[in-house]
Amino acid sequence: MSRAGSPSARRTGLPLRALLTGAAVVVALALPLVLPLFQVTLLVNVLIFAVVVTGLVLLTGIVGLTSFGQAAFMGVGAYTTAVLTTQAGWSTWLTLLAGFGVTALIAWLLGLMTLRMQGHYLPLATIAWGISLYYVFGNTPALGGFTGLTDIPPVHFFGLSLTSPRTFAYLALVCLGVVALGAQFLLSSRVGRAMRALRGGPLVAEAFGVNTFRLRVQVFVLAALMASLAGWLYAHSQRFVNPTPFSLQAGIEYLFMAVVGGSQHVWGGVLGAGLITLLREWLRDLLPALIGAQGNFEVIVFGVLVILTLQFARRGLWPLIERVLPREEVRLLPEHSRLPERGKPQPGTPLLEVAHALKTFGGLRAVNDVSFELRAGEILGLIGPNGAGKSTLFNLITGVNPATGGRVTFAGQDITRASAGQIHRLGVARTFQHVHLLPDLTLLANTMMGGYARGRAGMVASLLHLERREEAALQHEALRQLERVGLGEQAFTLAGNLALGQQRILEVARALVADPTLLLLDEPAAGLRYGEKMELVALLKRLRDEGVTILLVEHDMDLVMNLVDRLVVMNYGEKLAEGTPAEIRANAAVREAYLGVDMAEGAA
Amino acid sequence: MDFLQLFDPTIFPVLAADGLTNGAVYALLALATVLVFAVTRVIFIPLGEFVVFGTLTLASLQLGKVPGTLSLLLVLLGAAALMEALTWVRRGQAGRGLLTLGGAALLGAALWALAGWAVPLKPPLWGQVILTLLLVAPLGPLIYRTVYQPLQNATVLVLLIASVALHLVLTGLALVFFGPEGSRTPPFAAGNVTLGQVTLSWQSLLVILVSALLMLGLYFFFDRTMPGKALRATAVNRLGARLVGISPSSAGTLTFTLAAVIAGLGGMLIGPSVAMTYDSGFLIGLKGFIGAIIGGLVSYPLAAVGAVLVGLIESFASFSLSAWKEVIVFTLILPVLLWRSLTTRHIPEDEE
Amino acid sequence: MTAVSGAQPAAPLLLEVRNLHTRYGRVEALDGVSVQVPAGHIVSVIGANGAGKTTLMNSIMGVLPSSGEIFYQGQSLRGVPLEARVARGISLVPERRDLFASMTVADNLQLGAYSRRRENWRADLDDVYARFPRLLERRTQLAGTLSGGEQQMLAIGRALMGKPRLLLLDEPSLGLAPLIVRDILRIVQGLRGGGVTVLLVEQNARASLAISDEAYVLETGQVSLHGPAAELARNEALGASYLGG
């Protein structure tokens, strides 16, 4: 590999983190044998709860969707297995799959109904769903009403009946291990990057071809399936079910576990599940004695604890632990194959055509009858004073906010009504005026986000890490593009550590990973220092020489004049002028628009 | 039970009146929910607990017992005063910090003395109502100061999680203060009034009347007075409001005071018709909430209408399918959400 | 930074900004900016997009946290929250105007006087209506339904209702047609007579220099040029930085 000399690639000499993980696994495996029986039962509960919370970490911590209904999904899994094993005599392994089926269907329907809307409708719907299901369980005689169903058979494993908590603990451990590992795999994959991108709003994710609605539904269903698995475990560890552990209050507690532990980390969720469960046991003994009455007073302490966590450590406790742990090392995969590349148009052929574009907001014509053409291989600048309609035109070309009238054609296809993702897949990649990066991820991971549309791996392949070949190709493509823009040395540092100028260049690299035919840059020089601007100009010139077509919305005249082949000038939503930099410089109307009206002229 | 019985002329009006009475209180809660959300972005789940505190505090007073509400009030007052004093000290004005602490101590002592003196005397009903309001209403602004104000810049979801946590705390405290048994307060007015075919209890009529008057009062407050307009302004444009000198904290404090008064009054109004226990608040609050969601968390009239509808549906459901009442009411939210999701346009993030 | 003229303004300073730094995360939007605004003057700040003009206004107003010193009437504004700055007589008309769109013009204006509730604001309302007769015509209309120019008048009117000593105007000409820009700037010019000091941010460089006493040019978070407005208007370098030579 040509980058063998890259200093940061495998810089962590000590696999300390791997050692620590190994030690944690050994301790976990020893616990069911070492602990007294009562505590093993408690351990089983912690493990089961941790499975639910892992789903919540993906849903709430990573994607930013909140659900209070996870306990209800757990109930679906538990009741499905309870009914089918006791009343139909099914095998416990078959009922697990049946539970998955029922849960997935319900979660999918709920997701379809609520996930198109703003963030707070999902949690509200899950509250309603959590309450309703509790009463459905309690009021259905076939489900045993509020007393529940008993005599649920134990799980059999190769003739071994898992009746004792000690043996059952191993089943729970394996389940948690599989779920947590799957979650970690998912997070370090194409789909995981898209999930993280969703958190900062749909804009970036959609610009790189992510179907944000479908992805949200998928993650919601995945989290529900994890809860369903936990419900199955719970039913067979308790050997009876009743509605109480699946009530809304339990659903709230799972969310608390995620929040207190650290909802953005898989291990934070496990930590939270352990902490809250142990704390509850301890408080159950302590509080009634203090208050002098019976009742579940521990919720008072939990509530206060959660409010304090939100006020003082909004990201939960795990980040505090993470600080003392060695940093996770980034592993580069060996490259087996390269990603397929797009055929590029002949230089000089028409690439983008905007014809009589019109965009109105209410009565205001933000873009009024604007037409221009862009040919392959050229750099076109779109300039104009603030409020001239440049950004609106930009949004209209990128599909963020489609035109009210007129026609936009790209590479021979009508894209006037196409979505941002569809336009991206045709070969348009963009940067943002306000930098949209994930500051907590490395430059490499940020850049790889740009290649989302070039990959195929779905949720399942990502969970199982079956997409390593594609991931490797993406990694190396991203590294190549980082080197192309001159950021190769810093590939493994965090994006948040870069200065603004470098962040903008990182956005260019991210766009380049998409292998675009057309690169759209939205005010790339805004806020840059002189030296940074010069670097940007040099980079863009180099890219043009390498055959990339560029459309640039910019305010800085200096930069534009020295860079572009042609210019389109806008003012008050209309095209004011079009031509070479020299022609534009000589244009009186443009001078007027830029330096503004003369107060002396025509004034009293 | 026969479904058609619902439309029996002797049963239908009774159910409708019941539904309207509860619906009127849900409507008040829906308005408070919309108000709190619009001004502070807090989805105020614990509103239902304020209803419970209203009813059960009044019930305690009627027994001549000093309710636990007082100790909660004093603890919160202390915490809020400490936080406020700390802010002053950090700004380098330790003197004002001390003044805050002193003032809070004086206020706390006065409330404590007042409750200790007045409660054993068993004042008349109107006196008990005022005393209840004095104990419940300040909880609103104090909770805002201690719980939500430090989270002012947090996302709606973080605020929602805090709300749910607070709901648990208040439910737990209600159990400590009032015990597990439910209480029903005596009606404010006895007897029935007959209007044509319909017989309505004076109590129901009173509830509907007071609710309507409160709504009218709120309308006047928001439409005519400077503080009311300031709250609307904060809801419409937070930065704009700050630029004319309306601080988000003072708007939040006022909003939470209003919400606490509305919910506390609601609790006292509904107390005679519902057997209230320490944990009834959640469901009551959520029913107001469904009304608020029907109004999209923005429209006051739609929210009120939605809440009355919830009351009616609940009343009819409790007659024919009483065990499934809650399921019906809460499943109702799903078609509403579906309708909202189909009619709300997906607006991409603002990028200028 | 280059001073076009070394002469110090004679009038007492109403606002003095010393070595102001404002950051967005790790990005420094203002990098040691110093600005002096003498009482009764109109001072304009000009510069390209992203130069930090709006950041400067928001920092002075207290919308954004910043480090460095801001003195207003000789007193430091450190630790003074936005609302208290309004009460002390600073008003900002923000770039996005931030009107109360679903409230009437009259309500918007009345709320402008929120910080001085107990004083008689009705007389000031008449003053504002006299200055902007269009707003009187539209007083019962919702602010969101006004045209761009009228919205800008309302935003300025709302700020004036607070009886400010210092008015911060952020891009009042943004998105407005040239004739309306001229109207608005003339109104700004007229404020000086009423004892209001103005700090004006504009892209419309020529017009804003024409009505200003002093001006500062901001470039990537730093003051690159400052001096009397008339001298800056004749400055060749300024023309170059706007039209690329």
Side-chain angles (χ1 to χ4, degrees):
Chain A
M1 193 183 65
S2 62
R3 274 170 303 276
S6 171
S8 27
R10 288 188 190 82
R11 70 215 150 102
T12 24
L14 276 173
L16 200 52
R17 190 136 180 148
L19 275 176
L20 282 174
T21 313
V25 170
V26 170
V27 171
L29 285 175
L31 278 180
L33 295 177
V34 187
L35 291 177
L37 198 60
F38 164 73
Q39 288 183 13
V40 174
T41 317
L42 207 59
L43 175 71
V44 169
N45 282 345
V46 170
L47 294 171
I48 293 174
F49 297 159
V51 170
V52 185
V53 179
T54 305
L56 264 180
V57 165
L58 296 179
L59 186 68
T60 303
I62 306 296
V63 182
L65 300 167
T66 305
S67 166
F68 294 98
Q70 295 314 98
F73 287 122
M74 196 177 161
V76 173
Y79 268 91
T80 307
T81 191
V83 170
L84 291 179
T85 50
T86 55
Q87 289 165 23
W90 286 30
S91 134
T92 49
W93 298 102
L94 262 181
T95 57
L96 175 63
L97 297 180
F100 282 164
V102 179
T103 312
L105 184 70
I106 296 173
W108 182 69
L109 285 174
L110 273 178
L112 282 189
M113 276 190 247
T114 51
L115 289 173
R116 246 180 238 286
M117 290 176 297
Q118 277 175 326
H120 50 266
Y121 280 99
L122 177 71
L124 298 180
T126 57
I127 287 180
W129 137 253
I131 295 178
S132 302
L133 196 77
Y134 173 78
Y135 285 106
V136 169
F137 286 151
N139 287 315
T140 310
L143 298 178
F146 284 103
T147 43
L149 296 167
T150 51
D151 299 327
I152 298 172
V155 177
H156 291 277
F157 186 72
F158 287 115
L160 182 70
S161 170
L162 306 182
T163 42
S164 96
R166 288 194 202 277
T167 49
F168 197 86
Y170 283 101
L171 178 66
L173 260 177
V174 168
C175 286
L176 176 61
V178 167
V179 165
L181 199 64
Q184 292 281 30
F185 277 1
L186 181 65
L187 289 180
S188 62
S189 72
R190 171 179 178 266
V191 177
R193 277 189 299 278
M195 283 163 58
R196 290 186 197 269
L198 265 185
R199 193 146 217 245
L203 196 68
V204 178
E206 274 172 11
F208 287 100
V210 181
N211 183 335
T212 53
F213 174 60
R214 204 176 71 190
L215 183 60
R216 279 197 198 129
V217 175
Q218 279 180 347
V219 176
F220 185 59
V221 171
L222 179 67
L225 287 179
M226 290 181 179
S228 180
L229 169 65
W232 177 80
L233 283 171
Y234 193 82
H236 292 291
S237 86
Q238 304 285 320
R239 310 276 300 279
F240 89 96
V241 291
N242 72 349
T244 316
F246 313 122
S247 66
L248 180 65
Q249 183 168 333
I252 292 171
E253 249 171 53
Y254 292 128
L255 192 67
F256 284 0
M257 290 177 189
V259 169
V260 170
S263 65
Q264 296 180 6
H265 305 266
V266 172
W267 298 120
V270 177
L271 174 73
L275 267 181
I276 297 262
T277 313
L278 295 179
L279 189 66
R280 177 173 47 204
E281 283 310 312
W282 180 64
L283 289 175
R284 259 189 194 155
D285 297 335
L286 185 74
L287 286 180
L290 274 181
I291 291 169
Q294 287 300 314
N296 53 339
F297 302 120
E298 68 271 9
V299 294
I300 304 174
V301 179
F302 282 173
V304 173
L305 190 69
V306 167
I307 291 170
L308 290 177
T309 308
L310 290 176
Q311 287 182 350
F312 294 103
R314 206 167 290 175
R315 300 175 130 209
L317 299 178
W318 183 259
L320 305 179
I321 295 178
E322 183 86 50
R323 232 183 270 163
V324 296
L325 290 180
R327 251 190 68 191
E328 208 156 0
E329 53 190 301
V330 183
R331 266 181 311 147
L332 270 187
L333 303 165
E335 185 176 25
H336 292 290
S337 58
R338 282 191 158 210
L339 293 170
E341 281 177 23
R342 212 188 297 274
K344 297 288 185 305
Q346 276 297 315
T349 54
L351 187 62
L352 176 76
E353 201 191 337
V354 176
H356 308 292
L358 179 73
K359 179 76 198 180
T360 53
F361 296 107
L364 182 76
R365 296 194 162 204
V367 171
N368 192 5
D369 193 24
V370 173
S371 304
F372 66 90
E373 194 184 77
L374 173 64
R375 295 175 178 278
E378 73 173 340
I379 301 189
L380 178 74
L382 184 60
I383 62 165
N386 251 4
K390 304 182 304 268
S391 285
T392 313
L393 188 60
F394 194 97
N395 285 340
L396 183 154
I397 297 171
T398 48
V400 171
N401 214 339
T404 327
R407 206 174 128 91
V408 185
T409 321
F410 177 74
Q413 301 208 40
D414 186 346
I415 57 164
T416 320
R417 296 264 161 272
S419 71
Q422 286 165 334
I423 294 172
H424 175 71
R425 279 171 201 274
L426 289 174
V428 179
R430 65 172 291 188
T431 65
F432 297 88
Q433 186 180 341
H434 301 284
V435 174
H436 281 286
L437 292 166
L438 295 167
D440 298 336
L441 294 189
T442 60
L443 267 63
L444 180 66
N446 268 292
T447 316
M448 286 168 78
M449 182 62 221
Y452 180 85
R454 292 176 81 181
R456 262 169 230 287
M459 180 76 80
V460 176
S462 299
L463 275 168
L464 302 174
H465 261 191
L466 296 175
E467 35 57 283
R468 291 291 94 183
R469 198 173 259 274
E470 182 186 290
E471 182 79 0
L474 252 174
Q475 270 187 353
H476 288 273
E477 175 68 15
L479 276 177
R480 269 190 290 276
Q481 298 304 342
L482 277 172
E483 286 196 352
R484 191 174 176 191
V485 302
L487 289 173
E489 293 285 303
Q490 285 142 286
F492 298 94
T493 49
L494 298 184
N497 290 335
L498 297 183
L500 179 64
Q502 288 177 313
Q503 292 193 359
R504 286 199 191 275
I505 288 178
L506 175 57
E507 283 213 333
V508 174
R510 181 173 69 183
L512 287 173
V513 177
D515 185 28
T517 342
L518 171 61
L519 190 58
L520 284 166
L521 307 175
D522 194 355
E523 300 226 9
L528 296 198
R529 301 185 187 290
Y530 183 75
E532 293 173 333
K533 280 184 191 170
M534 291 303 104
E535 279 168 32
L536 182 72
V537 168
L539 169 66
L540 296 182
K541 280 188 170 161
R542 212 167 63 234
L543 291 179
R544 192 240 331 251
D545 296 342
E546 290 168 14
V548 184
T549 314
I550 300 174
L551 173 63
L552 174 89
V553 169
E554 189 41 75
H555 200 87
D556 186 326
M557 283 284 234
D558 246 343
L559 182 120
V560 175
M561 292 290 179
N562 294 323
L563 177 65
V564 301
D565 300 311
R566 279 191 312 123
L567 280 163
V568 170
V569 186
M570 287 186 67
N571 203 17
Y572 303 114
E574 290 175 4
K575 188 167 87 176
L576 186 68
E578 181 175 358
T580 64
E583 289 165 3
I584 294 299
R585 201 170 287 152
N587 190 315
V590 176
R591 289 192 80 90
E592 169 82 356
Y594 261 77
L595 274 186
V597 290
D598 196 332
M599 285 302 284
E601 129 199 341
Chain B
M1 206 162 294
D2 191 357
F3 183 73
L4 286 175
Q5 254 187 310
L6 274 185
F7 301 101
D8 185 299
T10 56
I11 293 173
F12 186 86
V14 175
L15 292 179
D18 258 15
L20 275 182
T21 315
N22 287 348
V25 176
Y26 297 157
L28 284 179
L29 298 182
L31 294 185
T33 303
V34 175
L35 171 67
V36 171
F37 181 74
V39 177
T40 63
R41 296 177 309 125
V42 171
I43 294 181
F44 196 45
I45 304 271
L47 193 64
E49 271 70 54
F50 277 81
V51 176
V52 170
F53 273 77
T55 316
L56 297 185
T57 302
L58 184 64
S60 287
L61 293 180
Q62 282 172 344
L63 296 175
K65 282 197 295 194
V66 175
T69 322
L70 178 67
S71 35
L72 176 62
L73 178 60
L74 295 180
V75 169
L76 281 174
L77 187 65
L82 263 178
M83 292 167 84
E84 198 64 19
L86 259 176
T87 316
W88 283 119
V89 170
R90 252 186 242 130
R91 272 192 210 153
Q93 289 174 283
R96 292 190 74 160
L98 275 177
L99 215 65
T100 311
L101 282 180
L106 227 68
L107 188 67
L111 269 169
W112 181 75
L114 177 71
W117 167 75
V119 173
L121 295 180
K122 288 205 191 182
L125 191 56
W126 62 265
Q128 291 170 356
V129 169
I130 288 174
L131 207 54
T132 304
L133 274 182
L134 271 180
L135 289 173
V136 174
L139 294 179
L142 289 175
I143 278 176
Y144 174 75
R145 181 63 190 89
T146 49
V147 176
Y148 294 107
Q149 200 176 314
L151 295 172
Q152 227 170 51
N153 302 318
T155 61
V156 173
L157 291 181
V158 167
L159 292 170
L160 173 61
I161 294 173
S163 284
V164 171
L166 184 63
H167 147 70
L168 285 191
V169 174
L170 291 179
T171 316
L173 288 175
L175 176 59
V176 177
F177 294 159
F178 308 112
E181 293 85 25
S183 309
R184 201 189 274 258
T185 48
F188 293 96
N192 291 319
V193 54
T194 310
L195 303 162
Q197 277 215 314
V198 186
T199 306
L200 216 58
S201 67
W202 275 111
Q203 169 68 21
S204 291
L205 206 63
L206 185 81
V207 170
I208 296 170
L209 210 72
V210 171
S211 303
L213 276 177
L214 256 177
M215 285 181 215
L216 209 69
L218 282 175
Y219 173 79
F220 181 80
F221 174 73
F222 285 120
D223 199 58
R224 298 292 152 81
T225 68
M226 184 73 118
K229 284 179 186 176
L231 286 191
R232 270 167 70 207
T234 307
V236 175
N237 190 322
R238 198 170 301 269
L239 180 61
R242 294 190 68 192
L243 289 177
V244 298
I246 305 166
S247 88
S249 326
S250 64
T253 306
L254 180 57
T255 305
F256 272 78
T257 312
L258 279 175
V261 169
I262 292 173
L265 272 175
M268 289 187 262
L269 288 174
I270 209 174
S273 49
V274 174
M276 196 73 79
T277 57
Y278 72 99
D279 61 351
S280 315
F282 192 57
L283 291 184
I284 295 176
L286 275 183
K287 282 167 195 161
F289 211 89
I290 294 175
I293 290 176
I294 292 175
L297 284 173
V298 281
S299 160
Y300 293 91
L302 264 183
V305 170
V308 172
L309 207 69
V310 170
L312 286 171
I313 290 174
E314 180 196 29
S315 164
F316 288 117
S318 65
F319 176 73
S320 50
L321 289 159
S322 78
W324 295 88
K325 167 178 104 169
E326 314 294 357
V327 181
I328 291 171
V329 170
F330 287 105
T331 332
L332 193 75
I333 202 177
L334 292 177
V336 171
L337 285 173
L338 184 64
W339 166 64
R340 285 246 151 241
S341 106
L342 293 177
T343 52
T344 313
R345 206 166 57 89
H346 167 72
I347 303 161
E349 189 189 355
D350 192 33
E351 169 89 354
E352 357 121 44
Chain C
M1 97 183 148
T2 15
V4 173
S5 156
Q8 284 297 308
L13 292 180
L14 181 66
L15 178 79
E16 186 181 10
V17 175
R18 274 190 219 153
N19 196 24
L20 199 68
H21 288 260
T22 306
R23 300 169 148 274
Y24 297 105
R26 290 187 172 84
V27 177
E28 197 142 15
L30 288 185
D31 186 7
V33 170
S34 300
V35 170
Q36 301 187 331
V37 182
H41 286 214
I42 297 180
V43 176
S44 59
V45 177
I46 54 185
N49 237 16
K53 301 185 305 285
T54 297
T55 307
L56 174 64
M57 295 300 238
N58 285 337
S59 304
I60 295 173
M61 193 68 224
V63 178
L64 290 173
S66 56
S67 63
E69 281 294 345
I70 304 172
F71 292 96
Y72 171 71
Q73 295 181 315
Q75 287 184 316
S76 170
L77 289 181
R78 177 171 294 174
V80 179
L82 199 175
E83 299 80 24
R85 294 184 198 201
V86 177
R88 290 196 193 179
I90 309 179
S91 269
L92 168 67
V93 178
E95 190 179 346
R96 292 158 146 250
R97 286 147 206 177
D98 288 297
L99 295 171
F100 309 122
S102 60
M103 300 174 76
T104 63
V105 168
D107 281 349
N108 269 274
L109 290 174
Q110 187 191 340
L111 282 164
Y114 180 85
S115 59
R116 39 187 216 95
R117 248 179 297 186
R118 283 177 206 157
E119 295 169 45
N120 183 13
W121 50 270
R122 284 178 200 280
D124 297 317
L125 189 61
D126 293 339
D127 275 357
V128 169
Y129 282 145
R131 218 183 272 276
F132 303 98
R134 283 287 272 287
L135 294 182
L136 181 63
E137 284 168 38
R138 316 235 156 190
R139 64 186 182 281
T140 57
Q141 212 170 311
L142 297 186
T145 64
L146 298 182
S147 73
E150 290 165 344
Q151 290 198 4
Q152 189 60 57
M153 292 176 195
L154 179 56
I156 296 175
R158 186 180 71 179
L160 291 177
M161 286 296 290
K163 284 246 152 183
R165 280 187 202 89
L166 175 64
L167 185 65
L168 307 171
L169 276 173
D170 196 354
E171 303 250 6
S173 74
L174 188 65
L176 301 183
L179 271 176
I180 301 172
V181 172
R182 210 166 293 169
D183 283 350
I184 298 253
L185 289 180
R186 201 159 290 138
I187 288 161
V188 173
Q189 206 170 9
L191 290 177
R192 192 176 4 198
V196 182
T197 307
V198 179
L199 181 62
L200 170 71
V201 155
E202 258 299 341
Q203 294 225 340
N204 212 323
R206 203 191 294 171
S208 65
L209 288 179
I211 64 163
S212 303
D213 301 291
E214 290 95 36
Y216 289 78
V217 179
L218 217 56
E219 232 172 279
T220 60
Q222 291 176 325
V223 174
S224 64
L225 216 60
H226 78 98
E231 285 179 35
L232 275 182
R234 289 191 296 272
N235 191 307
E236 287 298 317
L238 182 62
S241 82
Y242 271 79
L243 272 178

